Amino acid sequence: MPYVAAIDQGTTSSRCIIFDDHFKVAADHQLPHEQFTPQPGWLEHDADEIFRNCCLCVTNAVKKLRAKDPKFDKISGIGITNQRETSVAWDRKTGKALCHAPVWSDARTHEVCNRIAKEVGGGNNNFAAEITGLPVSTYFSAFKYRWMLENVPAVAEARKNGTLMFGTIECWLMYKLSGGKTFVTDVSNASRTFLMELSTQKWSAELCKKLDIPIEALPEIRSNSERYCDIATPEFGVVEALGVTTPITGCIGDQQSALFGHMGFHKGDAKNTYGTGCFMLMNVGPKVQYSKHGLLATIGYKLGNKPTTFALEGSIASCGATVEWMRRNLGFFGHPREMEAIARKEASTDGIVFVPAFGGLLCPYWDPTARGTIVGMTYKTNKSHIIRAALEAISMQAGAVLLAMNQDSGVELKRLRVDGGLTNSRLLLEMQADILGVDLYVPRMIETTALGAALCAGLGCGLWKSTDEITAIANKVLQGVTVTPTNTDPAVRQARVDAWNEAVKRSKWAKL
């Protein structure tokens, strides 16, 4: 039986999931990695630890598959999907990371962003939006690179010596897994750096110069589905476990991978992932769709030498993070699975509106001055009201993003595909369907992100010939559940949206 594997490198853990040619999970292995928070607003990862864990995940997943399938002989191709924007600096001579990697949600680059917006953009955060599709934000990799150049002596020294290498997580992993032979990234991850021209899918020499980032330290940009390299690292037993030469033939950022795993191959297809953050993507076809309503223009995917598919994206910072805050800081429940029953003890939020802007608001607001705010509390308020308000806040933010997508794309969405850990909350799904006024489709295949990378890998190694073939298989073997709106009264929906918008205004008070 043919197999493909996905290395799913996420914010809190790394996994290797092996699929057969009908998308069934054959084996998997997962390892967490340490979260470093040296200062408020900072979040770092140890890139060397992430590499080690990915190798061990591949090794152990393959061992598990060998134990189950005595006829197993090889993995046809491996796909990588990764937390985007998390940024690594390493030295070409040693192959070692020069410092911990600032994570996508790390906010240390606030001053760098302000300075660049002022000095380069004349105070306009959107000065490069027509080039990159992105606003100036702590979110994106270029500002993390700039911060490392200014604040980490080893990074500045490597630049001086001509040995500096910058890359996002997938680039780092391919470099290490290839034994230091391959220095590439893919278009989806490159589109999240603030340094790639969307129209050409090449590094912008102009922006690199303006941000003083050495273009020679950046990797080659490739498609999402092709043969990048063979796994050749002598470390952690991965080559020995695989047994034969195994190519990496897929590479795609996690949110684009989820869209691909949802079979989002047609214009207007959209998905929303409810993870640590919340990420909505819509396929907008073969032409760049620049946003006028606070969204990000980005790459959807590019398969080999075929035309690029573009996407609109809305990113929300606090989704699962809000649930974890209620668990850890407030002690409202011991495990997220307990949250649903507690929330259902009340029939409504009783007028409470919760804006979980713990570190500001991303799409479509882009306001770093917003802070976590709860309005409307009375003596009657209890934790069930607050939990319901938190879930409603997640659905409200997604509603704001979808409205912006409708306005930008001209496409009125009829169905939204959803995935991520919080889709286990039926209450959240019901709230979301009511707020959006559209059906939600929840696939039973929960490994949507990993599946997307595996599909890219399978196309890259020839296991599947086309997205049409993949769709035909998916229609036979993949099933899901549809959640329909229960409250279709537009006046009720608008009243809730108006209350949310008023609370958002009241959350904007921090001085930066």
Side-chain angles (χ1 to χ4, degrees), residues 25-90:
V25 174
D28 74 297
H29 196 81
Q30 182 172 12
L31 290 170
H33 54 266
E34 189 169 355
Q35 308 291 311
F36 298 92
T37 54
Q39 294 187 35
W42 292 30
L43 179 60
E44 302 176 344
H45 291 160
D46 181 339
D48 291 309
E49 180 190 13
I50 285 175
F51 166 61
R52 179 176 69 249
N53 284 0
C54 287
C55 289
L56 293 174
C57 285
V58 172
T59 298
N60 285 288
V62 170
K63 287 179 179 178
K64 290 177 182 179
L65 181 54
R66 286 191 191 281
K68 290 171 58 177
D69 181 1
K71 294 183 179 180
F72 168 79
D73 62 344
K74 68 175 182 177
I75 300 292
S76 299
I78 293 179
I80 296 175
T81 185
N82 58 288
Q83 51 167 322
R84 304 170 305 170
E85 296 100 16
T86 299
S87 304
V88 187
W90 69 98

Side-chain angles (χ1 to χ4, degrees), residues 205-277:
E206 175 189 0
L207 283 175
C208 287
K209 183 177 180 180
K210 286 181 176 178
L211 272 63
D212 193 23
I213 292 171
I215 197 168
E216 62 273 12
L218 301 177
E220 178 187 356
I221 302 173
R222 305 268 283 273
S223 80
N224 297 114
S225 183
E226 60 179 271
R227 189 167 187 150
Y228 310 98
C229 62
D230 295 332
I231 291 185
T233 178
E235 299 183 76
F236 309 114
V238 64
V239 170
E240 182 181 355
L242 290 165
V244 298
T245 299
T246 304
I248 297 175
T249 54
C251 187
I252 185 168
D254 56 4
Q255 301 310 320
Q256 285 91 342
S257 190
L259 179 65
F260 206 77
H262 274 291
M263 315 299 150
F265 305 142
H266 302 97
K267 184 176 180 179
D269 288 345
K271 71 89 192 175
N272 200 20
T273 297
Y274 300 82
T276 303

Side-chain angles (χ1 to χ4, degrees), residues 343-364:
R344 287 192 183 274
K345 288 180 179 179
E346 299 290 348
S348 72
T349 67
D350 196 36
I352 289 177
V353 183
F354 183 176
V355 182
F358 298 107
L361 290 169
L362 296 181
C363 297

Side-chain angles (χ1 to χ4, degrees), residues 77-129:
I78 293 179
I80 296 175
T81 185
N82 58 288
Q83 51 167 322
R84 304 170 305 170
E85 296 100 16
T86 299
S87 304
V88 187
W90 69 98
D91 191 281
R92 191 185 306 272
K93 284 186 177 179
T94 65
K96 295 288 186 182
L98 296 168
C99 59
H100 280 172
V103 175
W104 59 272
S105 59
D106 184 289
R108 76 185 66 186
T109 58
H110 180 70
E111 291 302 324
V112 171
C113 290
N114 282 348
R115 187 172 73 246
I116 288 173
K118 182 179 180 180
E119 295 177 357
V120 180
N124 177 14
N125 281 339
N126 291 301
F127 75 89

Side-chain angles (χ1 to χ4, degrees), residues 108-172:
R108 76 185 66 186
T109 58
H110 180 70
E111 291 302 324
V112 171
C113 290
N114 282 348
R115 187 172 73 246
I116 288 173
K118 182 179 180 180
E119 295 177 357
V120 180
N124 177 14
N125 281 339
N126 291 301
F127 75 89
E130 292 295 315
I131 300 172
T132 66
L134 310 174
V136 175
S137 170
T138 59
Y139 196 13
F140 304 116
S141 302
F143 308 104
K144 303 179 196 297
Y145 296 157
R146 183 69 249 151
W147 185 93
M148 288 188 277
L149 284 165
E150 294 177 2
N151 294 277
V152 181
V155 174
E157 184 67 17
R159 177 184 189 172
K160 181 180 176 181
N161 295 335
T163 59
L164 177 61
M165 305 179 87
F166 275 140
T168 39
I169 290 291
E170 83 301 332
C171 175
W172 163 253

Side-chain angles (χ1 to χ4, degrees), residues 255-373:
Q255 301 310 320
Q256 285 91 342
S257 190
L259 179 65
F260 206 77
H262 274 291
M263 315 299 150
F265 305 142
H266 302 97
K267 184 176 180 179
D269 288 345
K271 71 89 192 175
N272 200 20
T273 297
Y274 300 82
T276 303
C278 190
F279 303 89
M280 190 182 294
L281 265 75
M282 176 184 282
N283 180 332
V284 297
K287 294 183 179 180
V288 182
Q289 178 69 63
Y290 293 104
S291 177
K292 295 180 180 179
H293 298 91
L295 302 179
L296 308 176
T298 193
I299 297 290
Y301 57 87
K302 179 176 174 60
L303 305 177
N305 57 9
K306 294 180 179 178
T308 302
T309 293
F310 294 91
L312 283 170
E313 177 173 337
S315 307
I316 299 164
S318 295
C319 181
T322 302
V323 173
E324 175 61 13
W325 175 80
M326 290 188 295
R327 184 198 68 80
R328 184 185 63 244
N329 291 32
L330 303 185
F332 278 179
F333 40 82
H335 192 280
R337 63 174 168 263
E338 301 168 13
M339 173 182 67
E340 183 100 354
I342 298 171
R344 287 192 183 274
K345 288 180 179 179
E346 299 290 348
S348 72
T349 67
D350 196 36
I352 289 177
V353 183
F354 183 176
V355 182
F358 298 107
L361 290 169
L362 296 181
C363 297
Y365 310 101
W366 296 106
D367 194 330
T369 70
R371 289 294 179 267
T373 303

